[in-house]
């Protein structure tokens, strides 16, 4: 009797193992997601490359009539995605083929990092230079004005002349305005 029970358990284990293998063998078919032109992953992949037809748009947004490059490029990307290639692998494939010219944005490493940093650094340096120049001009004009005011003592006569001149200017303004 124990021998029969042991065979029964062995048979159940074998059936369970076969069923488990069948399920595991079918998992890649279920796990492989099929992408289409409307999927977000496809948009991310296609929009990282510039269209080479001269429209200035990325491959996802290119809508130029007769752009045969865009249709074949989109088809290639979709095939690569459905074959299981990652976004980085697709990017490396096309940058190896066309160079960094095909990318919509330069990579943030190596020499390409200069393309990201240089405009902001130049703008910051120019802003700092203009600020220093304006401060120097303001300080220089203050020194000149202070020196001029200190060197010329004001007396009652000059103050009276200034008031008369201001009154005359105000009268003339009233006539024309």
């Amino acid at each position: 009797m124990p021998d029969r029970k042991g065979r029964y358990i062995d048979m159940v284990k074998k059936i369970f193992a076969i069923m488990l293998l069948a399920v595991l063998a079918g998992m890649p078919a279920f796990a492989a997601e099929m992408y289409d032109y409307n999927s977000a992953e496809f948009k991310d992949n296609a929009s990282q490359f510039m269209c080479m037809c001269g429209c200035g748009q990325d491959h996802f947004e290119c809508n130029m009539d007769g752009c045969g490059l865009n249709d074949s490029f989109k088809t290639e990307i979709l095939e690569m995605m459905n074959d299981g290639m990652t976004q980085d692998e697709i990017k490396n494939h096309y940058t190896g083929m066309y160079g960094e010219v095909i990318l919509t944005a330069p990579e943030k490493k190596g020499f390409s990092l200069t393309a990201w940093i240089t405009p902001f650094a130049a703008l910051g340096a120019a802003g700092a230079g203009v600020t220093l120049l304006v401060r120097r001009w303001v300080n220089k004009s203050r020194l000149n004005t202070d020196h001029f005011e200190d060197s010329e003592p004001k007396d009652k006569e000059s103050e009276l002349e200034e008031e008369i001149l201001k009154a005359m200017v105000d009268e003339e303004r009233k006539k024309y305005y």
Side-chain angles (χ1 to χ4, degrees):
M1 188 76 138
D3 196 26
R4 192 176 207 194
K5 190 175 182 182
R7 278 193 265 166
Y8 178 74
I9 291 174
D10 286 340
M11 187 172 71
V12 169
K13 284 182 182 179
K14 287 179 184 177
I15 291 173
F16 182 75
I18 291 171
M19 289 176 62
L20 184 63
L21 284 174
V23 169
L24 290 176
M27 285 295 267
F30 291 117
E33 188 174 339
M34 297 301 287
Y35 299 102
D36 62 355
Y37 291 109
N38 297 323
S39 66
E41 293 85 2
F42 174 74
K43 179 182 180 190
D44 290 341
N45 268 307
S47 61
Q48 69 181 344
F49 302 111
M50 289 293 286
C51 186
M52 303 302 269
C53 71
C55 65
Q57 296 179 332
D58 60 57
H59 272 287
F60 186 76
E61 296 293 329
C62 179
N63 56 1
M64 228 171 131
D65 292 332
C67 180
L69 296 172
N70 193 32
D71 296 333
S72 63
F73 199 86
K74 283 182 178 179
T75 305
E76 281 181 25
I77 291 175
L78 198 58
E79 287 173 1
M80 288 180 193
M81 289 175 64
N82 287 330
D83 287 342
M85 289 180 76
T86 64
Q87 186 171 357
D88 289 334
E89 291 172 340
I90 295 171
K91 183 179 184 180
N92 291 338
H93 172 76
Y94 283 114
T95 53
M97 193 182 309
Y98 296 106
E100 283 190 32
V101 174
I102 197 162
L103 297 176
T104 54
E107 294 189 61
K108 298 174 186 97
K109 63 181 180 181
F111 182 74
S112 297
L113 188 60
T114 306
W116 285 100
I117 294 174
T118 301
F120 298 110
L123 191 61
V130 168
T131 302
L132 290 174
L133 186 64
V134 168
R135 283 186 181 175
R136 184 177 290 165
W137 286 344
V138 167
N139 289 337
K140 192 174 184 180
S141 70
R142 280 186 189 161
L143 289 174
N144 289 341
T145 305
D146 291 344
H147 179 69
F148 179 72
E149 288 177 0
D150 290 343
S151 65
E152 188 177 307
K154 290 195 173 191
D155 56 348
K156 289 184 182 182
E157 217 175 276
S158 63
E159 288 179 12
L160 186 60
E161 285 179 14
E162 281 183 33
E163 288 180 25
I164 292 171
L165 284 173
K166 285 182 184 177
M168 289 172 61
V169 168
D170 287 341
E171 285 179 26
E172 290 296 319
R173 281 190 192 149
K174 289 177 184 175
K175 287 180 186 176
Y176 296 106
Y177 294 113

